[in-house]
């Protein structure tokens, strides 16, 4: 069933706001361009009204921190299943885009701007052209879905097609309009599917998780080794994939720019920084009290969307950063956690078991 909201004006006698419609899809598109957070504050818009070459034109295109592309199709009114077919058709075009084509598209969208430069400024790490557009998502923006369309989208998602719907509703209060939004599915689901990075030959997942640990000012690998955890934060895109992990899962840890530094077993679920405790000689402590090696996004400590999240780990084997395992061809991904289904991931794990012989202690 399509997600619907209702709003009331607060007062002794609450007043329900009447629902209305936007005058055009173009207005909603313009609003997203002016305030991308209306869609998501985790992505960077890079294209608008681009022709597909087969009598189609996409509404918007965005890029995620890992270089995945997000195709956005906007419909002002109730959405029929033909829109899903159209989005899938456009996605086949998005999948074929190469780095020079994507850079040229951004140049048309943001005249005079450079994609690599602006990506670095937006996400605080370099754009890896080799991994650009390794995977993609489809987002349909609509006021509501008909039942058959919703069934189709759920069917595709269950079969690991990264597709989601962002519902919006417009309400009138006085002479003004308000807009609300809600997702059909948890965005983690589409992000996790896309993060499986199934480029090239795909195979069954080998039950080994990948973790990207961004060591630096925000977090310390020495702390992670000493206190037994992995973490991510600074935005929901970076922290929510930690929720995929459950006690007993085995995780291989990669520090971007350094290499693989450890393997461990998960011993608990993801916890926000304020709730997470590490073991010290003086007893359990918050990480901010136990160490001053990194910030762990302390500026967001009271913000559940942006704060650091931690997963407790029992380390099987770790090495310091200067001893990291780094070889040409090893799997890498900017997602904090993913469960890849590529041949490269299987061969990477095989190599890592040589580097870390205590992987199953």
């Amino acid at each position: 069933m399509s997600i619907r909201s209702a709003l009331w004006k607060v007062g002794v006698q609450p007043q329900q706001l009447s629902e209305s419609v936007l005058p055009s899809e173009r207005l909603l598109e313009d609003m997203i361009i002016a305030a991308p957070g209306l869609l998501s504050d985790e992505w960077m818009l890079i294209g608008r009204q681009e022709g597909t070459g087969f009598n189609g034109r996409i509404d918007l295109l965005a890029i995620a921190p890992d270089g995945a592309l997000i195709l956005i199709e906007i419909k002002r009114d109730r959405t029929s299943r033909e829109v899903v077919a159209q989005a899938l058709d456009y996605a086949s075009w998005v999948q074929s885009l190469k780095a020079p084509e994507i850079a040229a598209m951004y140049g048309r969208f943001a005249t005079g701007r450079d994609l690599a430069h602006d990506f670095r400024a937006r996400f605080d790490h370099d754009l890896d052209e080799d991994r650009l557009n390794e995977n993609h998502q489809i987002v349909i923006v609509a006021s509501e879905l008909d039942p058959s369309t919703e069934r189709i989208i759920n069917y595709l998602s269950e079969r690991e097609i990264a597709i989601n719907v962002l519902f919006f509703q417009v309400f009138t209060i006085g002479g003004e309009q308000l807009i609300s939004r809600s997702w059909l599915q948890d965005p983690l689901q589409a992000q996790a599917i896309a993060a499986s990075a199934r480029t090239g030959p795909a195979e069954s997942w080998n039950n080994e998780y990948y973790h990207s640990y961004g060591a630096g000012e925000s977090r310390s690998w020495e702390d992670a080794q000493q206190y037994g955890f992995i973490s991510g934060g600074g935005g929901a895109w970076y922290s929510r994939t930690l929720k995929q992990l459950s006690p007993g899962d085995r995780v291989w840890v990669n520090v971007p720019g350094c290499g693989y530094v450890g393997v461990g077993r998960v011993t608990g679920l993801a916890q926000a920084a304020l709730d997470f405790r590490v073991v010290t000689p003086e007893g359990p402590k918050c990480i901010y009290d136990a160490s001053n090696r990194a910030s762990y996004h302390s500026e967001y400590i009271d913000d559940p969307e942006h704060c650091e999240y931690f997963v407790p780990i029992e380390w099987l084997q770790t090495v310091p950063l200067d001893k990291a395992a780094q070889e040409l061809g090893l799997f890498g991904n900017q997602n904090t956690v993913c469960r890849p289904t590529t041949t490269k991931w299987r061969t990477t794990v095989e190599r890592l078991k040589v580097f870390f012989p205590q992987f199953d202690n």
Side-chain angles (χ1 to χ4, degrees):
M1 179 182 295
S2 293
I3 297 170
R4 307 298 293 164
S5 301
L7 295 180
W8 280 262
K9 182 179 179 181
V10 175
V12 176
Q13 183 62 47
Q15 177 187 348
Q16 185 172 2
L17 304 188
S18 59
E19 193 169 353
S20 59
V21 296
L22 293 174
S24 68
E25 291 174 9
R26 180 64 182 233
L27 174 58
L28 181 55
E29 188 177 311
D30 288 341
M31 289 170 61
I32 293 172
I33 294 293
L38 182 63
L39 177 68
S40 172
D41 60 5
E42 301 169 4
W43 304 329
M44 172 180 161
L45 292 174
I46 62 169
R48 180 184 192 183
Q49 292 298 321
E50 285 284 334
T52 63
F54 41 83
N55 298 321
R57 189 169 293 276
I58 65 169
D59 290 329
L60 295 171
L61 193 69
I63 190 169
D66 63 343
L69 298 186
I70 300 95
L71 169 68
I72 302 149
E73 282 300 297
I74 300 172
K75 300 300 172 187
R76 180 186 63 170
D77 301 315
R78 186 181 180 95
T79 298
S80 65
R81 58 186 178 183
E82 285 74 20
V83 173
V84 179
Q86 181 186 64
L88 291 171
D89 191 20
Y90 291 171
S92 69
W93 172 77
V94 168
Q95 178 179 253
S96 69
L97 293 174
K98 306 301 182 186
E101 297 170 298
I102 297 169
M105 182 189 305
Y106 184 68
R108 292 188 292 272
F109 174 74
T111 306
R113 306 290 299 182
D114 177 71
L115 177 60
H117 177 273
D118 289 357
F119 183 94
R120 172 73 190 180
R122 174 68 175 81
F123 298 119
D124 199 30
H125 62 260
D126 291 330
L127 176 62
D128 186 341
E129 289 194 3
D130 291 336
R131 293 176 182 151
L132 175 60
N133 199 21
E134 275 194 333
N135 45 74
H136 60 273
Q137 298 183 41
I138 302 169
V139 173
I140 296 173
V141 180
S143 61
E144 58 180 310
L145 299 179
D146 63 31
S148 65
T149 305
E150 187 169 348
R151 288 196 301 271
I152 292 168
I153 289 173
N154 287 329
Y155 175 86
L156 292 171
S157 182
E158 289 167 2
R159 280 145 188 82
E160 300 197 334
I161 301 297
I163 186 169
N164 206 348
V165 178
L166 181 65
F167 292 107
F168 72 90
Q169 286 178 256
V170 179
F171 299 89
T172 299
I173 179 169
E176 298 182 323
Q177 288 184 311
L178 307 177
I179 190 167
S180 69
R181 69 170 197 183
S182 54
W183 290 97
L184 176 63
Q185 300 165 345
D186 185 343
L188 168 62
Q189 187 171 345
Q191 182 180 344
I193 291 171
S196 65
R198 290 177 296 171
T199 54
E203 52 185 60
S204 299
W205 178 48
N206 61 4
N207 295 312
E208 308 273 359
Y209 280 92
Y210 166 90
H211 170 61
S212 177
Y213 189 86
E217 293 183 3
S218 297
R219 61 191 60 85
S220 161
W221 174 237
E222 291 83 357
D223 280 349
Q225 288 179 286
Q226 179 179 348
Y227 297 116
F229 66 77
I230 58 176
S231 68
W237 192 91
Y238 298 99
S239 60
R240 67 176 168 229
T241 54
L242 289 164
K243 297 177 183 178
Q244 297 178 85
L245 298 173
S246 300
D249 291 335
R250 184 159 60 198
V251 182
W252 297 91
V253 181
N254 178 46
V255 173
C258 293
Y260 283 85
V261 292
V263 57
R265 292 263 182 209
V266 176
T267 61
L269 301 178
Q271 303 171 52
L274 277 177
D275 302 321
F276 183 68
R277 296 292 181 269
V278 298
V279 178
T280 75
E282 295 79 31
K285 288 186 177 182
C286 177
I287 187 64
Y288 301 111
D289 297 325
S291 174
N292 60 5
R293 291 178 177 136
S295 70
Y296 299 102
H297 292 105
S298 58
E299 69 274 22
Y300 299 130
I301 191 169
D302 295 315
D303 182 347
E305 284 288 310
H306 294 84
C307 73
E308 193 83 0
Y309 281 78
F310 295 80
V311 172
I313 296 287
E314 176 188 5
W315 292 119
L316 302 172
Q317 188 175 355
T318 65
V319 295
L321 294 178
D322 60 357
K323 302 293 185 182
Q326 190 172 37
E327 273 189 355
L328 187 65
L330 293 183
F331 179 88
N333 193 288
Q334 288 289 350
N335 281 267
T336 303
V337 170
C338 65
R339 48 182 202 178
T341 55
T342 63
T343 301
K344 177 183 279 191
W345 176 238
R346 177 177 54 79
T347 57
T348 293
V349 171
E350 290 171 356
R351 288 296 301 146
L352 292 177
K353 288 178 178 178
V354 175
F355 289 123
F356 299 95
Q358 301 175 47
F359 70 92
D360 207 22
N361 281 356

